[in-house]
Amino acid sequence: PNFANSTPVTSVNGWIVIQQRIDGSQSFNQNWDTYKLGFGTYYKNFWLGLEKMHQLTTSADYRLRFEVLISGAWYSDEYDHFTINSEFEKYSLKVSGHSGDEKNNMDYHNGMKFSTPDQDNDQYPGFNCALLWSSGNWFNYCLYQNMNGVY
């Protein structure tokens, strides 16, 4: 994929970083276009961008890894297969092959379209989970995880 004139692709131990939160200085309560293009500072708090994620994950087979620091302890989860579909498909998420420290939270969101406060694509009729939780995410009937919620 060609990412000319865009956020640098950051790699840590061979993993491409698609989202990072180290403090609450960057709001993740953003609109559709901002989540599509990406935002933040790549070495601090940032979101790579849904379109870049789509281009990456459809060009090769990728794995997804979550690393979370909670009360001084690190937890991680991995998925053997990870794809973000096109904007036409509302950047829907496909994950499979879970292993890790926590229960398979992303399975609940598997197949879901991405939602933002200004674009409600969740499964909850007449209710916008992204607006309620002040974040963009692959909401089903709201959430089991909210990696982009208020810090």
Side-chain angles (χ1 to χ4, degrees), residues 68-80:
V68 181
L69 179 63
I70 301 172
S71 301
W74 283 98
Y75 298 90
S76 66
D77 286 289
E78 289 186 20
Y79 295 84
D80 290 334

Side-chain angles (χ1 to χ4, degrees), residues 79 103 106 116-117 133 145:
Y79 295 84
K103 66 181 183 175
M106 290 305 286
T116 57
W133 294 104
Q145 59 76 26

Side-chain angles (χ1 to χ4, degrees), residues 19 21 28-29 35 47 66 68 105-106 108-109 114-117 128-140 142-151:
Q19 188 253 31
R21 306 217 35 208
F28 279 61
N29 187 15
Y35 268 101
W47 176 261
F66 290 91
V68 181
N105 289 324
M106 290 305 286
Y108 181 75
H109 301 276
F114 200 83
S115 289
T116 57
N128 185 339
C129 298
L131 188 60
L132 173 69
W133 294 104
S134 301
S135 67
N137 207 333
W138 292 277
F139 292 109
N140 190 332
C142 287
L143 53 93
Y144 276 114
Q145 59 76 26
N146 192 15
M147 63 188 175
N148 295 327
V150 176
Y151 189 86

Side-chain angles (χ1 to χ4, degrees), residues 28-82:
F28 279 61
N29 187 15
Q30 302 290 333
N31 66 25
W32 181 265
D33 288 336
T34 305
Y35 268 101
K36 175 184 173 178
L37 298 173
F39 58 89
T41 305
Y42 74 92
Y43 56 89
K44 290 184 180 177
N45 302 290
F46 85 104
W47 176 261
L48 181 63
L50 291 164
E51 185 59 30
K52 291 176 195 133
M53 290 181 211
H54 164 66
Q55 290 176 20
L56 278 168
T57 62
T58 55
S59 68
D61 192 23
Y62 279 88
R63 293 170 49 207
L64 177 66
R65 180 177 176 90
F66 290 91
E67 290 186 352
V68 181
L69 179 63
I70 301 172
S71 301
W74 283 98
Y75 298 90
S76 66
D77 286 289
E78 289 186 20
Y79 295 84
D80 290 334
H81 304 283
F82 164 58

